[in-house]
Amino acid sequence: MTQVLQLEAKSPRPEVIEQAAAVIRTGGLVAFPTETVYGLGADALNEAAVARIFEAKGRPPDNPLIAHVANREMLDVVATGISENAERLIERFWPGPLTIVLQRQPVVPFSISAGLPTVAVRMPKHDVALALIRASNTPIAAPSANRSGKPSPTLAAHVLEDLRGRIDLILDAGATEIGVESTVLDMTIDPPVILRPGWVTSEMLNDVIGPLGLSGSDELLMRSPGTRHRHYSPRARLILIEETSPEQLPDIYADPRSHRSIVFIGHSDLYIDDPRFHTIQIGSDPGEYARSIYAALREADRLNPDLIIVEGISDSGEGAAVMDRLRRAASGPSK
Ligand code: TXA
Ligand code: MG
């Protein structure tokens, strides 16, 4: 049985937090909101509890988890070798959507880091998340609370859809604010490298610690095993129209095979009056895309179309995180 408890995002009721913390302390699984997406939490120092996360999600064991902390002491419990630049980033961006990869302390279970000598750590900017970590009195390991490969959950309903019966508790505090996952920055190499783009952009990081290394190499794939797997995907085949290639649109439209069910997710109203398209419209700015895209992909899936077409946005600034997820959703075999 999966219990769902509603609570306020701001100043959540201590009794509800205490109930959830008791589940964490006894090795259970609690889904909770962060400012980015809902996470699936377990005691980060309890190997058996961490193993339950992988099982509930169907997550490949080579994809490591982020340890969530509520204060500096907890950071020092899980990580070491924190450079001056890492200190600067922590000062500037925590709590917030920046995950920092550091040297792992031996107390952290092997499985969280998928065998790597490093650990990814972040301090979320959400009253429920911070209160839960504090009340649990332990760092909380938490991947996004979706079945592996599916779009990340931005509502408690998405968590329930994927994990009902597989986890103990869901804390429902409404929609998450940002909608895409945190930036993951590897600080164990020089210069540091972004392993996953997010709401904290490379420009913002650059302003604090200077130039970053280049992302996208083979070396990067080895360092961030998670990036190898297909991700964020609905069931139907997904075509992404890059901002630079709008001429693709008429081609798809003219294709005779397009006499089938198609969901169009985008900001332009191209197909709004065409009965062959079910249109899910999103405002064109990156913030709106980030907040809405995962819910839109889930809605598209419920309509069970043959094809989903997503209109991309500019890759610059915050758009980079959105486009990274959409490219991953579009790649790989269709199921
Ligand atoms: O916003 C977020 O980051 C959300 C919320 C719940 O905090 N969490 C999240 O976790 O997105 P997850 O597990 O879905 O993504 C974690 C990412 C994966 O790409 C994983 O490969 C990478 O972080 N990662 C974790 N530990 C790592 C490590 N030691 N070295 C390199 N990459 C790591
Ligand atoms: Mg995830």
Side-chain angles (χ1 to χ4, degrees):
M1 257 292 285
T2 300
Q3 196 181 1
V4 181
L5 295 174
Q6 252 120 28
L7 74 183
E8 295 290 324
K10 299 274 168 220
S11 329
R13 286 210 320 280
E15 320 81 86
V16 180
I17 294 293
E18 184 43 46
Q19 193 180 333
V23 175
I24 296 285
R25 285 195 301 264
T26 52
L29 300 186
V30 177
F32 62 95
T34 77
E35 79 279 32
T36 57
V37 300
Y38 274 77
L40 177 58
D43 180 351
L45 305 182
N46 177 337
E47 178 113 50
V50 170
R52 288 191 62 202
I53 291 181
F54 284 89
E55 199 182 304
K57 279 188 59 111
R59 185 177 178 105
D62 67 349
N63 192 0
L65 309 179
I66 297 170
H68 293 66
V69 299
N71 52 47
R72 177 62 201 231
E73 293 70 50
M74 279 192 195
L75 168 64
D76 292 327
V77 168
V78 294
T80 178
I82 300 163
S83 65
E84 268 177 38
N85 274 344
E87 297 282 4
R88 284 192 193 101
L89 293 174
I90 289 166
E91 176 70 32
R92 170 70 185 78
F93 295 109
W94 280 11
L98 175 67
T99 295
I100 304 179
V101 176
L102 297 162
Q103 297 303 330
R104 178 166 62 97
Q105 291 278 21
V107 69
V108 177
F110 207 60
S111 53
I112 288 196
S113 299
L116 297 168
T118 57
V119 62
V121 193
R122 98 174 182 98
M123 190 186 292
K125 190 176 183 173
H126 195 292
D127 286 355
V128 172
L130 289 171
L132 177 65
I133 300 164
R134 273 191 222 110
S136 303
N137 199 25
T138 181
I140 293 184
S144 49
N146 49 282
R147 287 282 284 176
S148 195
K150 290 279 148 203
S152 296
T154 54
L155 289 172
H158 300 157
V159 181
L160 206 54
E161 189 172 275
D162 280 13
L163 299 173
R164 187 196 292 272
R166 308 180 75 90
I167 65 177
D168 302 297
L169 180 63
I170 301 173
L171 294 179
D172 177 1
T176 59
E177 216 176 295
I178 295 177
V180 293
E181 305 84 347
S182 62
T183 306
V184 179
L185 180 71
D186 191 342
M187 289 297 293
T188 66
I189 41 174
D190 194 27
V193 168
I194 293 179
L195 301 179
R196 180 177 72 182
W199 213 239
V200 174
T201 64
S202 56
E203 294 82 3
M204 290 158 73
L205 295 169
N206 196 306
D207 282 348
V208 180
I209 59 167
L212 304 176
L214 268 190
S215 312
S217 61
D218 289 350
E219 148 119 33
L220 170 71
L221 281 178
M222 266 170 51
R223 286 187 165 270
S224 191
T227 55
R228 280 201 302 267
H229 300 285
R230 191 178 187 222
H231 259 105
Y232 319 111
S233 307
R235 279 194 309 272
R237 189 158 78 93
L238 189 154
I239 294 178
L240 173 64
I241 295 152
E242 296 275 344
E243 207 214 10
T244 49
S245 60
E247 68 278 5
Q248 253 183 281
L249 285 173
D251 284 354
I252 292 161
Y253 185 79
D255 183 342
R257 285 170 302 160
S258 70
H259 293 277
R260 45 186 188 177
S261 60
I262 302 177
V263 174
F264 176 79
I265 301 171
H267 56 82
S268 57
D269 53 10
L270 272 167
Y271 299 124
I272 207 130
D273 294 322
D274 189 318
R276 284 171 301 179
F277 290 84
H278 179 105
T279 301
I280 301 174
Q281 197 148 16
I282 310 180
S284 64
D285 78 284
E288 279 232 22
Y289 255 69
R291 269 193 299 282
S292 318
I293 196 67
Y294 288 143
L297 292 174
R298 282 178 183 267
E299 183 186 340
D301 241 359
R302 275 193 294 276
L303 295 163
N304 200 23
D306 299 309
L307 182 65
I308 299 171
I309 301 174
V310 182
E311 183 180 18
I313 54 172
S314 161
D315 221 352
S316 62
E318 288 87 352
V322 172
M323 290 305 286
D324 168 74
R325 306 308 187 273
L326 286 174
R327 288 182 190 124
R328 285 176 207 284
S331 68
S334 61
K335 281 181 259 172

